[in-house]
Amino acid sequence: MSKIWLIAQREYLTRVRKKSFIIMSLIGPLLTVALFAVPVLIAKMSDNDKVVAVADAGGLFADKLPDPKDDISFTRVSPDLATAKAEFKKSKYDALLFIPKLDISNPAGFQVFSRKGLGMSLENDINRAVNNAIESRRLQQAGINRAVLDNLKVNVDLQTVSLSDDGEKSSSTGISTVVAYTFGFLIYIFIFIYGVQIMRGVMEEKTNRIVEVVISSVKPFQLMMGKVLGIAGVGFTQLALWVILSMGISSVMAGSISPDKIAQDRAARTTAVMRPTTSKDEAAKKENVAAKFTQALKSADLNVPLLAGCFLFYFLGGYLFYGALFGAIGSAVDSETDTQQFMMPVTMPLVLTFVVSQAILTTNPNGTVAFWMSMFPLTSPIAMMMRLPFGGVPTWQLLLSMALLIAGFVGAIWIAGRIYRVGILMYGKKVTYGELSKWLFYKG
């Protein structure tokens, strides 16, 4: 055991002292925050009020132009198309909407002109404004008051409650889905990153012939186990640094690029040039999104200690299980080119679990398929962590899944150790699945 600890300590210290580890530990959180912040920043940089010129030859907006919404406003120009085009070319309008003489029962012939191409968001806003105007005209002809019809519409806020043997608990499907995807993605990406590191580390020692000296004092099994545990410590260290730094960076940047602040700035600019709107839809858009998310997170009533503990277990268990398999692959081949034939059977269950789990979560997270995927050791690290946030997982299922994962890890270590002891000293030979199966039963 002491030799395994010494090897694990060496692997850990060697890797955490590398410049690449330090750089990635600092850049990783920045990339994570940038993944969410860059789209918001881009939206903020391009967040200028767009003005659409309306050439209303059909009199669709005879009473009044559409009210300004978000970052779009409308202005009237000559109803003659040729004159409107000439005026549009001289102006700085973002788009020109031409409304022909139309039949309300069968509207057609609408055109939108732009200088360099129309953005999808602006096109949707213009399309929505035209559709609303035609609907209002039809309602008017039918003798139906649009305001009365709008008041009849309702948007019910459903409160989801989970019934279990422990009693009633409030839940939130949206929050549970976000948490499930986050846990599943973290386990998925870290198994790949650090599993491949184990494989490359074993291959490097094998090709450099360093292992021939090392195994004179330690058993191949001890060497492999030490490498798996040492790199596991590196993974935990980097994960902890990423979480801490990501939280710190996010809290610093939240005040300047939050969607709420952007929405408030946009509303202030719009109010400065247009009369403020007071409809229920516009008021809802100005609500504090962050506050609503925080409230939803609280109402979800997630069992945070259980989720945190299970995440650490499945994170470590999944990594150790796959790390042993990656180590076995590294010991059996001489180059990364040869690893492709063995990587596919090992990584396919992991990829399949992450892909299939997305469909399972939207249908039945506690169904038969989800149950078996959360029991099978090759798929359980991701599948079970994507089930737990939704609740309803019996204790016996959770304990059985953990026991099977531990048994699977022990079995994977045994298989990997049998392959490792033969393959680590074999050079210049293409290994097949048949030969690997023979290595498992070699004596000695």
Side-chain angles (χ1 to χ4, degrees):
M1 188 66 184
S2 60
K3 293 181 179 179
I4 295 177
W5 169 249
L6 288 174
I7 296 170
Q9 187 179 25
R10 172 188 172 275
E11 289 290 334
Y12 179 83
L13 294 177
T14 300
R15 295 178 185 274
V16 297
R17 288 172 179 172
K18 288 183 177 180
K19 292 182 180 179
S20 58
F21 175 84
I22 298 173
I23 292 173
M24 282 305 301
S25 297
L26 297 176
I27 294 179
L30 294 175
L31 295 177
T32 303
V33 174
L35 181 66
F36 300 97
V38 168
V40 179
L41 287 172
I42 293 175
K44 185 177 181 181
M45 292 170 61
S46 60
D47 189 26
N48 56 328
D49 295 331
K50 297 177 176 61
V51 181
V52 177
V54 180
D56 192 2
L60 182 61
F61 299 114
D63 297 333
K64 68 171 184 176
L65 290 170
D67 293 330
K69 296 181 182 295
D70 292 338
D71 59 348
I72 178 174
S73 59
F74 297 84
T75 185
R76 199 182 298 274
V77 294
S78 173
D80 180 69
L81 182 57
T83 306
K85 285 182 179 179
E87 186 177 346
F88 175 70
K89 292 179 180 179
K90 296 178 182 179
S91 66
K92 294 183 179 181
Y93 298 141
D94 296 280
L96 170 64
L97 169 63
F98 173 68
I99 302 174
K101 294 182 179 180
L102 53 89
D103 179 9
I104 293 298
S105 61
N106 186 24
F110 296 89
Q111 291 180 291
V112 179
F113 301 90
S114 62
R115 290 182 174 83
K116 296 182 180 180
L118 201 63
M120 182 174 293
S121 176
L122 181 58
E123 181 180 355
N124 290 336
D125 289 337
I126 296 174
N127 190 31
R128 189 180 303 111
V130 172
N131 288 337
N132 290 339
I134 294 175
E135 288 177 5
S136 298
R137 186 69 65 85
R138 287 179 174 179
L139 290 173
Q140 186 178 5
Q141 290 182 352
I144 301 175
N145 190 316
R146 182 61 182 261
V148 175
L149 183 63
D150 290 340
N151 288 331
L152 293 176
K153 297 178 181 179
V154 64
N155 184 16
V156 178
D157 185 13
L158 292 176
Q159 180 182 3
T160 56
V161 180
S162 176
L163 290 175
S164 63
D165 296 337
D166 299 330
E168 298 184 5
K169 291 184 178 180
S170 60
S171 62
S172 173
T173 304
I175 297 299
S176 299
T177 302
V178 172
V179 174
Y181 281 148
T182 302
F183 283 151
F185 178 76
L186 286 175
I187 293 176
Y188 173 82
I189 198 68
F190 268 82
I191 286 177
F192 263 108
I193 291 175
Y194 291 100
V196 171
Q197 281 195 24
I198 293 175
M199 183 182 69
R200 289 175 176 171
V202 173
M203 289 174 53
E204 182 181 355
E205 290 181 352
K206 179 180 178 179
T207 55
N208 292 338
R209 304 294 178 94
I210 298 175
V211 71
E212 295 181 2
V213 179
V214 176
I215 61 174
S216 62
S217 57
V218 298
K219 296 180 179 179
F221 176 82
Q222 293 175 324
L223 179 60
M224 185 192 65
M225 179 63 77
K227 294 183 73 68
V228 171
L229 295 178
I231 298 177
V234 177
F236 266 109
T237 302
Q238 192 161 68
L239 177 63
L241 290 174
W242 280 16
V243 171
I244 295 172
L245 293 175
S246 295
M247 292 175 62
I249 296 172
S250 299
S251 61
V252 171
M253 299 181 65
S256 58
I257 63 172
S258 67
D260 296 333
K261 193 175 189 310
I262 296 173
Q264 291 172 3
D265 294 342
R266 177 185 296 171
R269 289 195 305 271
T270 303
T271 305
V273 294
M274 300 290 179
R275 75 177 190 276
T277 58
T278 58
S279 65
K280 295 180 180 180
D281 291 339
E282 291 301 311
K285 290 180 181 179
K286 295 178 183 179
E287 290 182 1
N288 192 320
V289 179
K292 291 175 67 177
F293 179 82
T294 303
Q295 183 62 33
L297 186 61
K298 292 180 180 178
S299 64
D301 196 19
L302 297 174
N303 191 338
V304 177
L306 175 65
L307 292 177
C310 290
F311 173 73
L312 293 176
F313 175 84
Y314 282 102
F315 180 91
L316 179 60
Y319 164 77
L320 293 176
F321 182 85
Y322 277 94
L325 299 179
F326 279 115
I329 294 174
S331 65
V333 299
D334 295 331
S335 64
E336 287 201 39
T337 305
D338 298 332
T339 63
Q340 301 305 315
Q341 61 173 324
F342 300 111
M343 286 280 288
M344 182 65 70
V346 173
T347 58
M348 185 54 67
L350 196 65
V351 177
L352 185 65
T353 305
F354 189 74
V355 174
V356 174
S357 294
Q358 300 182 35
I360 293 174
L361 291 178
T362 58
T363 54
N364 187 4
N366 292 309
T368 304
V369 177
F371 167 77
W372 287 110
M373 289 184 70
S374 61
M375 294 297 118
F376 190 48
L378 282 169
T379 59
S380 63
I382 293 178
M384 181 58 80
M385 283 312 305
M386 296 185 79
R387 283 184 62 194
L388 285 173
F390 292 90
V393 179
T395 304
W396 69 268
Q397 290 188 15
L398 182 59
L399 294 178
L400 178 60
S401 174
M402 290 180 171
L404 290 175
L405 181 58
I406 293 173
F409 164 64
V410 174
I413 286 290
W414 181 84
I415 293 174
R418 305 289 291 186
I419 296 174
Y420 194 92
R421 64 174 185 159
V422 179
I424 198 66
L425 295 177
M426 188 168 291
Y427 305 96
K429 184 178 181 180
K430 296 291 183 181
V431 181
T432 63
Y433 286 104
E435 286 196 66
L436 287 180
S437 62
K438 293 179 182 179
W439 293 358
L440 296 178
F441 301 101
Y442 278 170
K443 294 182 179 181

